[in-house]
Each structure stands twice: as C-alpha cells, then as structure tokens.
Amino acid sequence: MNSQITRRGFLGGAVLLGGAALVGCAPDTAARPGTLQSSAASDGTPRRGGRLRLGVVDGDRAGTLDAHKPLTIGSIIRGFAVYSKLWEWNAEMNWSPALAEETEANADATAWTVRLRQGLEFHNGKTITADDVIFSARRLTDPALGSPWAALLFTLDRERIDKIDERTVRFHFKDGKGFVPFPDTFTNFGAIVPVDYDPAKPVGAGPYKLKEFTPGQRSLFTRFENYFKDGQPYADELEIIDFQDEASRIAALQAGQISLANGIGADQVRLLQGDPRVGVVVSQTSNWQSFDLNLSKEPFRDERVREAFRLLTDRKELVERALSGHGRVANDLYSPQDPTFDRSIAQRPYDVERAKALLKAAGQENLQVELVSGEGGDAAALVFAAQAKKAGVTVTVKKVDAATFNGPRRLDWTMSTGGLLTESFLSSALHLDAPVSAANKTHFSDPRFTELFEQAITQPDVAKRAELVHEMQRIQHAKGGLVIWGFNDALDAVSTGVGGVAPEHTQFATWRFEKLWVKETT
C-alpha cells in the first residue's frame, strides 16, 4: 500500500488545520443578540414524523431537477434532498465519504479508485453499481448536456473510467496527469444517478424522494426508507417553497407557514430579534464576498487601477455595514481554510491617498465605472460606491435580478459583485480563475500562474503543493481581478419547532435534510 494515498494522508491533516483556522480567526458571535448557538445534542432526541418546510428565494421560475445541471440556488438545494454523491462536504467544508466506502489515489494522483458501500439503493429499489457511477461521471461531463460545471472536471478522461467490479471504479485523467482536487470537484455536482436516468422523472439516492414539483412554486418530497445513513431521515415529508423576495419569506416564517429559511440577510436578523418562535443559527464560514473586475476591459486592464480599487476598499466598514458585523475582513485571496494557504501575505491596507496617486499615474482621475449588483449584493455595492467617492471615483450601482445577473452577460460585466462558498484552493480556482474554469468573470490570465497551477494540480504532497500555491497566491494578490473584501457568516433562520440544525463551517446547516426533524407533529 505504499504507492497508495489514503484520504487521511492525502489531506495532510487538512480537516484539523481547516477547522482550527476557521475557529481561530472567526469573530465571537456568542454575545450577539438574536443568534442561536445550537447543536443537535441540545435539541433532544430526534423523532420521526411530520413535515419540514424550507423557504428559498429563487428567481428561476422555470426550475430544474437535473442532477448535473443545477443553475440556481433552489435547484442546488433540491438536489441535496433528491441525490447522493460519492463524497459529501462535512461540517468543516472538507470532503468525506458518502456513497463511497473507500477512496484511494495512487502516488501521483493520476488514478483514483473508488469502492461503493455494500447494498446501496436508488429510490426505485435498483441496486447502485459501478455502471451507475460511470454513467453519472460521463453524463456530467458530456458536452451534449452542456453543464456549466463540467469544467470543474476538465481533466477527467471520460473514455478511461474502468469498472473493476460491481462496486469498484477507477478514474483516469487526460494525458496521464494527476488531478489532486478530484473529490472536491466531483462532490459539488457529481450526483450518482441510474443508467436510465430521466431528469423529467428524477430518481436519486438522497434522503427524500420526489412526490410533486411545480417549478417556481413548490416541491414536495417523501422519506426514502432505504437511505444509506441508518435511521435517517427523520421527517415524513420535506416541502421546499419558492419565494420571490426575502420579505415575503421572512413573513411566512414568522407566520408558521415555513419552518426554515436558509441564507438570510444580516438585516433580517435584526427583524427576528425578540421573536420567541424563531432562532438564527450562525455558521462561521470562509465563504467570501467580492467585487469582480473584468481584466479584459478598460479601465481594469491596467494593474495600477486594479491596485487602486483594492486600496480604496474599506474592508472593515464593508463587514460592519454590508454584513452587519457577521463576518471578517479578507485580503483578496480565497480558501483560507486550505492547508496550503499562504498566511505570510500581509493584509492590504486601506489607503485612499495611495489609490488616488495610482489612478492619477494611470490617467484615470475622475474615473466613472458601473458596478452591477446581483441578488444580495446591493448593500455592499452601495457602501463601496460611497467609499470610492473619496478617491474621486464615481461608481454607479446597477441592481439586476438573479436571472439577468447569471444570464448570458454574466462574464461580460465590467465590474460586478461576487462571492462563493469556500472550497479547497485548487477547487476554488477551477470555479474562478484557473486556466480552465467554470466562470472566470475576471478574465484573469497569467502565464506563470498557469504554469504553477498545472504543477499544483498534479502534486499530492501537501508541503510541495503549498510552495506552488504560495507563489500563485502572490500573483493573484498583485495582479488578479478579485477584490475579496470579506468572509461572511452563513445565517439561517430556524423555527423552534425544528431540531437538528447545528452551526457549521459551511453554508449547509439547513440543507442537511437527513439530520433535521420536526419536534412536534399534529
């Protein structure tokens, strides 16, 4: 077994390091009014029965249940109910085995071998086999499907996925290259579905089976009795209700029409203070908030302008005002929980005078720029616009709906609000600014960064990979297009009638449907 790398050895203690980093640098929320520092144990013994009702704000009226092509937050959340994956994100935002019983990479990560648990079933009673795993991987990466998330597995060799036996699959990668973040990238959207999968009549292996689905309105699910986690889920039914705005969702929560509201805004926390029927679970995450600069357009082709925008960003004020203090200051770099993160890079200061000097040197005095704000980003955009005025920059905030923000022009905005949930550094890069990425809004491209990335993605040794990542991060910090100003807490509103919701270092506390239960049934 010397040529094999187990998950524990491969991560090099990333679970412990990641958790410590998050706890160590996260603000103390215990004294915040209106928050609920709960745990599953404090809720008492789980009980079976009843219906969980989650309200989501989702602007997609068409809706989708396609396992491999979720395009909105509502679609992704519904996927947590219907589908299971080889791996899942644990409470520390590191991958853990789910349908997989064993996972091993060879010494240079050019092959990953995955063995399924014994006796797994789909909702229709069919046994899950290696054939289903192979089909699912090929479907996700099929150009004909056109999943935007296929880019996360850009190096997977679709023609070299070997069936070792009925429960074992070996994955290979193009050109014989290693692919270190395979579990991270497959975990996101790699639901395992049967070989005869039909997205119009979805069958998965998640905690709940689909019963009814009205796009843009509601979806109803019933408990899957043969779910792979013994004794779970607890509720008889799960209902996910779509809302078009936050105000109506919070009103429904307070009226008892829903029992859970994921990802509420900090301003909604204030509205819920003093309501004995509702608590707010605060999860301290490394999910980040950013202003994304399009480097393919003026004025952001000029590194001096990019540096000026970073320097005129008052990050502390943004955390206090846009996040109401529910977060912490960031330094234009993502994935601080990753064991390869370079903590030696000094925090960029707030320096208006230096920003003005850089703009003058670039011939961009009295600069005017439009900042496009997506759902939930308008508070930060308005705060930043006021900050920019101090450097003589006029920022016009244009708020658009989710469908427009994420539509055909998504990669064309000159400047826009952004953010993403925390993942490992390499996996996050594949989302954002790697040579091949799912959504490179900044159009960042640097030859040396590309060279380093190609080396890092094939390097399983954490210490050796850290050297490569450190140089990559110094390039990002100096030349990149992401102004990552803060890490936000995940805030979830929960009825006191629901048990099992516990703070995590993720945004998934209210998505763990198998763990939640209804305290009282009628």
Side-chain angles (χ1 to χ4, degrees):
M1 291 292 289
N2 290 338
S3 65
Q4 302 290 333
I5 301 175
T6 64
R7 179 178 185 273
R8 181 180 299 275
F10 171 76
L11 286 177
V15 173
L16 296 177
L17 286 170
L22 284 165
V23 173
C25 61
D28 179 16
T29 61
R32 287 181 185 159
T35 65
L36 174 66
Q37 296 293 71
S38 65
S39 67
S42 67
D43 287 327
T45 303
R47 59 176 294 167
R48 295 174 74 85
R51 178 184 290 188
L52 294 165
R53 292 182 173 88
L54 170 68
V56 301
V57 177
D58 191 358
D60 183 8
R61 302 297 294 179
T64 179
L65 286 168
D66 193 313
H68 302 131
K69 201 176 179 179
L71 300 177
T72 66
I73 189 67
S75 300
I76 294 171
I77 292 174
R78 287 189 290 269
F80 266 64
V82 178
Y83 304 111
S84 288
K85 303 162 185 177
L86 296 175
W87 302 278
E88 63 186 9
W89 296 117
N90 63 23
E92 302 299 331
M93 201 59 198
N94 290 297
W95 54 266
S96 296
L99 297 181
E101 178 181 70
E102 297 178 2
T103 299
E104 291 182 331
N106 63 2
D108 57 2
T110 56
W112 284 83
T113 303
V114 178
R115 185 167 178 81
L116 292 169
R117 297 173 187 265
Q118 181 75 40
L120 296 172
E121 288 187 10
F122 287 115
H123 295 158
N124 59 6
K126 177 188 177 297
T127 299
I128 302 175
T129 70
D131 292 325
D132 302 303
V133 174
I134 294 171
F135 169 81
S136 300
R138 287 177 174 163
R139 184 178 188 273
L140 172 60
T141 55
D142 188 348
L145 177 66
S147 172
W149 313 114
L152 299 175
L153 291 169
F154 75 101
T155 192
L156 178 67
D157 191 338
R158 299 177 68 251
E159 306 306 317
R160 290 194 65 208
I161 306 177
D162 301 332
K163 178 180 177 179
I164 307 303
D165 57 40
E166 286 300 309
R167 291 169 49 207
T168 310
V169 175
R170 182 167 295 134
F171 296 90
H172 300 272
F173 304 91
K174 295 174 183 177
D175 302 320
K177 294 182 178 180
F179 190 58
V180 169
F182 180 54
D184 307 64
T185 54
F186 203 4
T187 294
N188 279 321
F189 303 104
I192 303 304
V193 297
V195 293
D196 59 353
Y197 176 73
D198 180 358
K201 299 177 181 179
V203 170
Y208 288 91
K209 301 184 294 184
L210 179 68
K211 182 177 182 180
E212 301 173 9
F213 178 42
T214 304
Q217 297 183 35
R218 66 187 287 272
S219 43
L220 182 63
F221 310 86
T222 59
R223 180 171 55 223
F224 178 37
E225 298 292 351
N226 293 328
Y227 183 54
F228 76 95
K229 296 182 182 180
D230 291 341
Q232 296 178 340
Y234 302 111
D236 291 334
E237 296 178 310
L238 167 68
E239 184 177 14
I240 298 177
I241 302 173
D242 294 49
F243 291 86
Q244 293 303 301
D245 59 80
E246 189 66 89
S248 59
R249 181 170 67 152
I250 294 300
L253 177 70
Q254 293 183 302
Q257 297 167 352
I258 59 174
S259 50
L260 299 155
N262 70 290
I264 67 171
D267 55 335
Q268 303 300 323
V269 174
R270 292 189 292 270
L271 293 177
L272 295 173
Q273 289 177 1
D275 189 332
R277 301 164 298 180
V278 180
V280 176
V281 175
V282 180
S283 293
Q284 298 167 344
T285 79
S286 289
N287 299 353
W288 67 84
Q289 299 294 316
S290 62
F291 302 122
D292 301 343
L293 314 179
N294 189 335
L295 310 191
S296 71
K297 293 188 172 186
E298 297 295 350
F300 299 120
R301 288 192 176 100
D302 193 317
E303 290 182 24
R304 294 169 296 184
V305 175
R306 303 200 295 267
E307 178 67 9
F309 270 61
R310 294 190 184 97
L311 292 170
L312 61 81
T313 302
D314 187 337
R315 299 152 198 269
K316 184 177 180 180
E317 182 185 34
L318 278 161
V319 169
E320 289 301 318
R321 294 184 59 191
L323 300 180
S324 296
H326 287 287
R328 63 190 190 278
V329 166
N331 191 30
D332 302 322
L333 297 170
Y334 46 74
S335 303
Q337 86 290 348
D338 192 301
T340 66
F341 189 83
D342 188 353
R343 302 190 182 282
S344 69
I345 297 176
Q347 175 67 49
R348 181 171 269 113
Y350 171 55
D351 190 338
V352 175
E353 293 306 313
R354 175 61 179 159
K356 290 167 68 174
L358 285 168
L359 290 171
K360 182 177 181 180
Q364 295 288 356
E365 292 179 285
N366 302 314
L367 178 62
Q368 299 184 30
V369 65
E370 182 178 77
L371 171 55
V372 178
S373 169
E375 188 70 35
D378 49 312
L382 292 171
V383 171
F384 177 76
Q387 293 175 354
K389 284 184 179 179
K390 299 175 183 178
V393 177
T394 300
V395 174
T396 302
V397 176
K398 179 181 180 181
K399 183 179 180 180
V400 299
D401 59 36
T404 300
F405 188 79
N406 296 305
R409 295 194 61 193
R410 173 178 173 78
L411 304 183
D412 194 49
W413 309 122
T414 300
M415 182 178 183
S416 58
T417 57
L420 198 66
L421 61 85
T422 184
E423 293 180 16
S424 68
F425 175 81
L426 293 177
S427 179
S428 296
L430 286 169
H431 278 282
L432 294 163
D433 53 7
V436 177
S437 57
N440 191 348
K441 287 173 65 183
T442 66
H443 298 266
F444 173 72
S445 178
D446 179 87
R448 179 57 179 165
F449 184 89
T450 296
E451 179 183 351
L452 292 163
F453 178 83
E454 290 175 349
Q455 294 176 41
I457 208 167
T458 67
Q459 179 53 261
D461 185 276
V462 175
K464 293 179 180 178
R465 191 168 73 249
E467 295 178 7
L468 301 169
V469 170
H470 287 184
E471 185 176 349
M472 293 168 67
Q473 290 181 326
R474 288 191 288 273
I475 293 171
Q476 288 175 315
H477 195 256
K479 300 180 179 181
L482 293 169
V483 183
I484 301 177
W485 54 264
F487 299 107
N488 61 281
D489 296 339
L491 307 173
D492 297 303
V494 182
S495 164
T496 54
V498 173
V501 183
E504 301 187 353
H505 292 319
T506 78
Q507 66 178 33
F508 305 137
T510 52
W511 306 12
R512 310 285 192 184
F513 300 124
E514 72 274 19
K515 295 182 178 181
L516 311 186
W517 72 88
V518 180
K519 292 183 179 179
E520 297 180 2
T521 58
T522 58

